[in-house]
């Protein structure tokens, strides 16, 4: 395989549970023990640690795909705080099981379907609905999609812009071999998430392997017909 051809794009989503330090595990258990996203200071107070130390542990959990990080809603001057929340474990297990079949499935769709891209989107849409139904989060449609993308294993990063960077890919091997099919599964995943939150106005637009470290996703408003 030509490595230079794949210099851009996300890292693979880990398929096995990463090794955590005792402090990271404690931070993860704290996230799992509360309902909804929490601030760094909340976790720090619960664990009796300095906020800067806890922030490092929480960011390590985000990098490992075990937690998600989103911005709090703006409440005045200054940059909103980061909020952290544990990823749904059941969704992570589903992703690990599905990733092993992804290359064969993408190849099968490409070889047998009259419209492989459309078939892939519909498959992803169904899968996305199933996973997104497992939880809802506070916030608008975009915030909920970001939460679901975290559950899907994409480790999304967004900082008050219209574009979401997908820094990991649960089906990276399949995406490299069959990008026209696999990346449409990803589009379907996001559409399934939008279905669950009841948003018919937004349309996912994915740019695969957009730059080093990520693919890029936009949620565009659909034009009136």
């Amino acid at each position: 395989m030509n490595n230079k051809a794949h210099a851009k794009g996300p890292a693979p989503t880990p398929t096995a549970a990463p090794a955590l330090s005792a402090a990271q595990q404690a931070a993860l258990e704290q996230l799992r023990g509360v309902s909804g996203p929490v601030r760094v200071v909340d976790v720090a107070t619960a664990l009796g640690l300095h906020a800067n130390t806890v922030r490092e542990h929480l960011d390590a959990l985000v990098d490992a795909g075990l937690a998600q990080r989103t911005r709090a809603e703006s409440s005045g001057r200054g940059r909103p705080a980061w909020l952290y929340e544990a990823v749904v474990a059941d969704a992570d297990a589903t992703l690990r099981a599905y990733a092993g079949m992804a290359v064969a499935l993408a190849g099968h769709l490409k070889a047998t379907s009259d419209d492989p891209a459309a078939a892939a989107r519909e498959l992803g849409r169904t899968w996305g609905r199933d996973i997104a139904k497992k939880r809802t989060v506070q916030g608008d449609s975009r915030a909920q999609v970001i939460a679901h993308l975290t559950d899907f294993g994409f480790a999304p990063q967004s900082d008050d812009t219209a574009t979401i960077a997908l820094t990991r890919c649960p089906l990276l091997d399949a995406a490299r071999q069959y990008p026209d099919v696999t990346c449409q599964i990803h589009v379907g995943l996001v559409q399934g998430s939008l279905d669950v939150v009841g948003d018919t106005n937004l349309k996912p637009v994915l740019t695969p392997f957009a730059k080093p470290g990520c693919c890029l996703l936009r949620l565009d408003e659909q034009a009136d017909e």
Side-chain angles (χ1 to χ4, degrees):
M1 181 180 294
N2 185 347
N3 291 330
K4 184 177 291 186
H6 300 299
K8 295 182 178 180
T13 299
T15 56
L20 300 178
S21 68
Q24 290 168 350
Q25 185 65 46
L28 178 59
E29 292 305 319
Q30 183 62 31
L31 292 183
R32 288 174 172 171
V34 297
S35 176
V38 294
R39 301 170 301 165
V40 172
V41 65
D42 299 325
V43 180
T45 300
L47 297 179
L49 299 173
H50 193 279
N52 288 341
T53 300
V54 170
R55 184 178 292 105
E56 292 179 0
H57 296 328
L58 293 174
D59 286 341
L61 295 177
V62 172
D63 291 340
L66 297 173
Q68 69 168 352
R69 181 180 63 190
T70 56
R71 284 286 187 189
E73 294 184 5
S74 179
S75 59
R77 292 185 176 181
R79 200 171 188 81
W82 285 113
L83 299 176
Y84 293 82
E85 187 174 13
V87 171
V88 177
D90 288 346
D92 181 59
T94 301
L95 285 165
R96 288 199 302 269
Y98 187 78
M101 300 183 293
V103 174
L105 177 59
H108 176 74
L109 288 176
K110 191 172 181 66
T112 62
S113 176
D114 292 334
D115 190 344
R121 281 194 303 276
E122 191 57 34
L123 174 67
R125 192 170 187 171
T126 301
W127 184 29
R129 290 191 196 112
D130 289 343
I131 298 180
K133 286 177 182 176
K134 294 183 183 296
R135 71 154 164 165
T136 57
V137 298
Q138 294 181 345
D140 58 13
S141 297
R142 186 171 178 276
Q144 295 200 51
V145 166
I146 290 174
H148 295 154
L149 284 168
T150 303
D151 292 343
F152 298 156
F154 289 100
Q157 297 292 328
S158 178
D159 192 7
D160 303 326
T161 66
T163 302
I164 302 168
L166 307 181
T167 64
R168 293 190 181 275
C169 178
L171 309 179
L172 187 58
D173 288 342
R176 286 175 171 170
Q177 292 187 47
Y178 303 103
D180 51 339
V181 176
T182 307
C183 295
Q184 289 305 308
I185 294 177
H186 296 162
V187 172
L189 281 168
V190 180
Q191 188 61 61
S193 177
L194 290 169
D195 291 344
V196 168
V197 303
D199 194 316
T200 60
N201 187 47
L202 295 179
K203 175 183 178 181
V205 178
L206 178 66
T207 304
F209 303 103
K211 60 182 183 178
C214 68
C215 300
L216 294 178
L217 173 73
R218 297 195 323 273
L219 297 176
D220 290 350
E221 292 190 6
Q222 301 196 60
D224 294 332
E225 297 185 4

